[in-house]
Amino acid sequence: MKYLTMLLALVATVALSAPLNAQTSSPDVAPVNQLIRQQEMLQQDVALKLAQIKSTADLERHLRAAGSSSPLAPLSAAGKRRFLASLKFNETGLTSFGYGDLQAELTASQIYQVMSLFGAQHTVSMMRNIRTQDAVDEQIMRPLGGPPGPVCPSQPCDYESYECAKKATCSYNINTICMRNC
């Protein structure tokens, strides 16, 4: 976990400094932006593969073991029940989830901690109307790849306002995110 944190910090530093360096040394920043997007996709893939919860069985184990120390604990009982009911998994992990209760009850940092359980922390910046209370919350809501939305226009993406209806098929559903491993 220590190495993953160091890798993510290094990639973030490079990603944040690359556009500045590219703008001063070259008028064409498209290749640099593409590299940043690729790095962000790699980070997302690593997070999904290392996720603590990749199935309903993993979720049940987490809930039993973590109890009140779980990042899910600040949710109301009804909000937690609805959020957990919205989770969909396949053999590779989380494929979609509803975030309505997360946005209504938690801050960006709290939502980030919840989504980190599933390796989906990168989706927080895609969510709408998320409460920010401090600089960390604001950083979470500012994705590395630029403005909110998919960072992979020519590849499979995560889509806001869609859910995983069946394998490789996202269907419209407000306040949900269909993940690219659907």
Side-chain angles (χ1 to χ4, degrees), residues 127-147:
M127 299 176 193
R128 300 176 200 199
N129 304 317
I130 301 300
R131 194 167 13 123
T132 58
Q133 291 183 332
D134 57 28
V136 173
D137 286 347
E138 290 173 15
Q139 285 178 315
I140 290 169
M141 296 310 294
R142 192 177 330 116
L144 290 178

Side-chain angles (χ1 to χ4, degrees), residues 4 12-13 18 24 29 35 38 51 69 74 90 105 119 123 126 134-135 150 158 166:
L4 177 61
T13 302
T24 58
V29 296
L35 179 62
Q38 289 172 347
S69 66
N90 68 12
E105 298 183 24
T123 63
M126 297 173 65
D134 57 28
D158 300 326
K166 60 182 180 177

Side-chain angles (χ1 to χ4, degrees), residues 4 10-11 16 22 31 40 55-56 58-59 73-74 76 84 86 89 95 106 110 131 152 157 160 166 173 176-177 179:
L4 177 61
L10 176 63
V11 170
L16 292 174
E40 189 167 342
S55 67
T56 53
D58 291 342
L59 177 61
S76 67
L84 296 179
S86 78
F89 298 94
T95 60
L106 306 176
Q110 291 172 311
R131 194 167 13 123
C152 46
C157 290
E160 197 274 331
K166 60 182 180 177
N173 190 357
T176 59
I177 293 180
M179 298 187 55

Side-chain angles (χ1 to χ4, degrees), residues 52-101:
Q52 180 181 348
I53 301 172
K54 296 181 193 176
S55 67
T56 53
D58 291 342
L59 177 61
E60 290 168 6
R61 273 191 294 279
H62 168 79
L63 293 172
R64 277 193 309 271
S68 63
S69 66
S70 171
L72 295 162
L75 283 167
S76 67
K80 182 177 175 181
R81 185 176 57 252
R82 285 187 299 266
F83 173 69
L84 296 179
S86 78
L87 299 173
K88 294 183 181 180
F89 298 94
N90 68 12
E91 64 281 352
T92 61
L94 186 66
T95 60
S96 69
F97 61 93
Y99 65 86
D101 288 293

